[in-house]
Amino acid sequence: MPLAGERDRRVLELHERLLEIEQRLIATGLHVFGRASNREQCADLLRMVASFDRPEHGARSLIDLIAEGLGLRHELAPGDNGDQRLTEAHARALERVDTVARESIRRFIESNAGDAVLWLEAEANVRAEESRPVFALLEKVYAQLQTNEELDSLARALRGEYVEPGPGADVVQNPSVLPTGRNTHAVNPYAIPSATAYARAEPVVNQLLARHVSEHGRHPRALAFVLWGLDNIKTQGEGVAQALHLLGVRPVRDAMNRVADVEVIPLEELGRPRIDVVMTVSGIFRDLFAATTLLLDRAVRRVAALDEPSELNYVRANILAQAEEGDCDFDAACLRVFSNAPGSYGTNVNFLVSSSEWEHESALGDLFVRRKCFAYGRDARGRALEGREAPCAMRRALARVEATYQNVDSFEIGITDVDHYFEYLGGVTKAVEQHAERRPAIYLSDALAREARVRSLEETVRLETRAKTLNPKWYEGMLRHGFRGVAEIENRVTNTFGWSATAGAVDDWVYGEVAETFVLDEEMLRRLSELNTHSARALVGRLLEAEGRGYWAADEATVARLREILAGLEDRLEGVA
Ligand code: BEZ
Ligand code: MG
């Protein structure tokens, strides 16, 4: 490629990355119970709500309407492999459409829906009949964002009075979660996955597999899949649907719309091999979705029994190979749905990481298997396993895994916001690394993108670091909460560290810039230590731990300075300074 072409490509790539960070929805503070969102927060949320098709409100995506109105539909269409095309036209179109969308929302908030509709018609050729339903929906959402009955509802609940029910999801996924302060209800677990969830699963699975093929030259023979309960409530089972799709089966419903069974998709129709899926389901998933847990196990057994060539049915091929290894029969080799022992929850990998009381990373993978090696489903004779302890079967299944994956569905919580992503996806990744004796590829899907989008873990950590941890909008928003805000910053750094410990997925610069931003900047250090000395100390300690464990190659002067600061903070905590 000529030099200028290569340079242009790089500039474009950088431009796209910056846009991605800029357009990412982030929390700019904690929710204060009983307090409604302010205007600025509302504008961001409304823009996200408006960017999706809402057939139930007769509203199309505002982004699509604007793109069509401006004649930019073609530029914004995904490329052949489902990925966004990296062209200047695409980048410009994206920016232009975003600017118009933001301005229309600004007019809506500062004036009214009618004004926004007229402006869009004049400015972007969006027909009023098309944009009116969008703004009608936004009017409702905006009004509900500005009211808040959380305190009243809590008081009613405490008095044992009736609290109106409402669905549980995030506001972008389902605007009818508003108003907040209602009694959250879940889903009908027997209807999981919904038809919509199954339809949405296919492009994500295709992208996940395409990404693996492009990076490793072929499909993963086995994939370790994390399934959580709350996520599958919010998405009506998108994760479950993806797992079924990977296996090459589809749900079969009975007359009551319950998912009663699965049906095998013929290989000719599937057009790719059936992927072996080793599922780790959370304790919450196991409790909420007992029937689904059995269904997933049944799907694996159904696929394992198919008379198909091993190069097109990795499930059967792996199970046969596993059974031949000697210490388990075909039936035990079929175990693919693992969770905690009955009544137990969590991997505890997060607690072990945050306590720093581990020497080798293998302790993290061992703990994961110890906590999550309880198999669910039915054996060949139809007897319920009910959490049979099966560490050996789990290790053998994990030993064949080439990629680990979790469907991240929430607009509200990302992989460094809480410790649960690294305890699960990180935990299983470390276990795979130990038993397969190689590090798997690690992927996450991103529901924040309008089109199906799969990122590597490394990319996701970078994105969260840029969009949140190091973003003044994020940390200043947190610091407005004083003591708690500092704790949130420290938590995020520890959660990021969790991705080093379990998956080696954090670049050096992340720790370097965290140190520069929060510790080596004197004014910031003063603010943090005055607001919350304890968390400031923990943050500095974590950075030193990252250096000590080899996750961060800091220079000697930096390490010395951090040690000095740590000593100062400890003195302050002990009342010496
Ligand atoms: C779940 O919804 O299954 C879940 C929630 C929090 C942590 C882990 C799992
Ligand atoms: Mg928790």
Side-chain angles (χ1 to χ4, degrees):
M1 195 183 276
L3 214 54
E6 172 63 13
R7 189 195 55 200
D8 287 355
R9 198 190 57 77
R10 288 211 183 169
V11 170
L12 260 173
E13 204 175 303
L14 187 63
H15 182 85
E16 291 248 330
R17 293 259 170 92
L18 289 172
L19 267 184
E20 185 178 39
I21 294 168
E22 188 188 355
Q23 293 182 356
R24 190 115 179 138
L25 196 65
I26 62 165
T28 50
L30 298 167
H31 175 62
V32 178
F33 196 79
R35 193 184 292 168
S37 317
N38 66 30
R39 262 186 182 205
E40 211 178 297
Q41 294 162 339
C42 286
D44 283 340
L45 277 178
L46 292 175
R47 189 167 45 83
M48 292 304 290
V49 168
S51 66
F52 289 85
D53 283 331
R54 306 282 175 190
E56 66 282 19
H57 297 278
R60 290 184 53 211
S61 151
L62 189 62
I63 301 293
D64 289 346
L65 293 176
I66 295 171
E68 281 169 21
L70 294 173
L72 295 172
R73 189 86 185 125
H74 174 74
E75 283 78 357
L76 282 186
D80 292 339
N81 61 358
D83 219 344
Q84 291 296 340
R85 287 171 304 171
L86 199 64
T87 64
E88 194 172 341
H90 177 254
R92 280 189 198 286
L94 205 64
E95 222 172 349
R96 173 95 181 96
V97 169
D98 187 57
T99 307
V100 171
R102 280 175 197 270
E103 177 58 20
S104 70
I105 302 277
R106 192 190 66 78
R107 281 172 187 260
F108 163 72
I109 288 182
E110 303 212 332
S111 177
N112 57 48
D115 203 39
V117 168
L118 283 179
W119 184 82
L120 272 177
E121 186 147 48
E123 204 65 23
N125 267 321
V126 178
R127 288 188 305 134
E129 310 86 276
E130 295 255 52
S131 66
R132 238 179 248 123
V134 179
F135 286 97
L137 169 64
L138 294 190
E139 267 179 331
K140 202 166 129 196
V141 172
Y142 189 36
Q144 288 175 331
L145 280 170
Q146 287 170 304
T147 57
N148 190 302
E149 291 174 17
E150 291 167 2
L151 278 173
D152 283 346
S153 297
L154 176 63
R156 271 201 299 280
L158 291 173
R159 288 194 300 267
E161 291 171 11
Y162 178 74
V163 178
E164 198 190 317
D170 70 49
V171 59
V172 179
Q173 275 170 340
N174 181 4
S176 58
V177 299
L178 295 171
T180 56
R182 289 184 295 168
N183 190 0
T184 308
H185 63 73
V187 284
N188 173 1
Y190 297 99
I192 289 292
S194 71
T196 315
Y198 191 75
R200 284 174 60 95
E202 183 169 358
V204 177
V205 165
N206 289 345
Q207 241 199 66
L208 172 64
L209 295 177
R211 174 107 199 219
H212 192 276
V213 170
S214 80
E215 289 175 344
H216 303 276
R218 57 179 178 78
H219 290 110
R221 294 183 65 87
L223 193 122
F225 199 125
V226 174
L227 283 164
W228 284 356
L230 300 181
D231 294 30
N232 280 286
I233 289 177
K234 290 196 282 184
T235 61
Q236 312 245 332
E238 267 180 41
V240 171
Q242 291 166 6
L244 294 177
H245 221 289
L246 285 160
L247 292 167
V249 301
R250 61 168 74 90
V252 177
R253 286 164 207 285
D254 67 12
M256 305 282 287
N257 194 36
R258 288 177 303 208
V259 177
D261 202 355
V262 292
E263 163 186 276
V264 169
I265 303 172
L267 282 174
E268 316 77 77
E269 189 184 333
L270 192 61
R272 57 157 170 88
R274 301 186 195 284
I275 311 298
D276 187 7
V277 188
V278 185
M279 290 162 268
T280 301
V281 315
S282 70
I284 298 181
F285 184 102
R286 170 204 60 200
D287 295 353
L288 288 173
F289 293 114
T292 315
T293 304
L294 291 177
L295 187 86
L296 289 167
D297 169 71
R298 189 177 331 154
V300 171
R301 288 170 191 271
R302 184 75 52 81
V303 168
L306 295 171
D307 182 13
E308 289 174 339
S310 58
E311 70 279 10
L312 289 172
N313 185 335
Y314 298 155
V315 185
R316 179 173 174 78
N318 283 351
I319 288 172
L320 284 174
Q322 210 174 308
E324 268 175 25
E325 279 165 8
D327 48 11
C328 66
D329 59 9
F330 185 84
D331 195 25
C334 282
L335 302 178
R336 287 294 181 276
V337 185
F338 296 94
S339 187
N340 296 78
S344 151
Y345 302 84
T347 72
N348 290 0
V349 169
N350 46 341
F351 301 131
L352 189 55
V353 166
S354 65
S355 73
S356 307
E357 286 170 3
W358 52 281
E359 201 165 325
H360 299 292
E361 287 172 1
S362 59
L364 306 173
D366 290 343
L367 179 60
F368 183 88
V369 172
R370 215 159 50 241
R371 295 278 302 172
K372 304 297 292 190
C373 68
F374 297 82
Y376 289 82
R378 290 184 190 283
D379 68 12
R381 292 166 62 188
R383 293 174 303 199
L385 299 168
E386 285 170 359
R388 178 194 294 170
E389 190 167 9
C392 191
M394 187 185 201
R395 285 194 207 102
R396 290 213 184 271
L398 290 177
R400 291 187 162 73
V401 164
E402 295 177 326
T404 61
Y405 169 76
Q406 184 164 1
N407 184 48
V408 176
D409 72 277
S410 176
F411 281 81
E412 294 168 328
I413 297 170
I415 63 159
T416 53
D417 284 284
V418 292
D419 53 4
H420 301 304
Y421 286 105
F422 83 74
E423 67 153 325
Y424 272 87
L425 185 62
V428 77
T429 299
K430 184 51 72 186
V432 167
E433 188 185 305
Q434 278 163 247
H435 301 293
E437 291 177 12
R438 71 185 122 70
R439 182 176 182 272
I442 314 162
Y443 300 115
L444 296 134
S445 69
D446 180 4
L448 282 94
R450 289 195 326 127
E451 275 105 22
R453 174 142 207 179
V454 171
R455 286 196 186 86
S456 70
L457 173 63
E458 293 81 351
E459 287 165 352
T460 313
V461 171
R462 281 179 210 128
L463 180 58
E464 291 234 330
T465 302
R466 291 276 181 227
K468 297 180 187 171
T469 321
L470 297 173
N471 182 349
K473 253 190 169 169
W474 179 79
Y475 61 75
E476 289 296 345
M478 288 300 151
L479 288 174
R480 276 200 295 276
H481 298 275
F483 183 90
R484 183 67 225 163
V486 186
E488 290 291 326
I489 295 171
E490 186 273 312
N491 271 346
R492 186 177 291 284
V493 173
T494 292
N495 296 337
T496 305
F497 173 89
W499 289 115
S500 281
T502 56
V506 186
D507 301 332
D508 234 36
W509 64 260
V510 170
Y511 294 110
E513 292 197 23
V514 165
E516 292 285 339
T517 307
F518 298 110
V519 186
L520 301 173
D521 178 305
E522 268 176 40
E523 173 56 16
M524 182 58 89
L525 178 64
R526 187 192 57 76
R527 288 171 71 194
L528 298 189
S529 57
E530 279 177 9
L531 290 169
N532 181 342
T533 317
H534 184 80
S535 292
R537 194 213 75 90
L539 193 157
V540 180
R542 195 65 73 193
L543 287 171
L544 283 166
E545 185 180 359
E547 194 275 335
R549 291 191 188 270
Y551 303 146
W552 175 31
D555 59 60
E556 268 174 44
T558 304
V559 175
R561 179 76 192 117
L562 289 179
R563 288 217 179 97
E564 202 181 321
I565 291 170
L566 184 73
L569 290 167
E570 280 173 351
D571 285 350
R572 190 180 162 127
L573 276 173
E574 287 162 11
V576 181

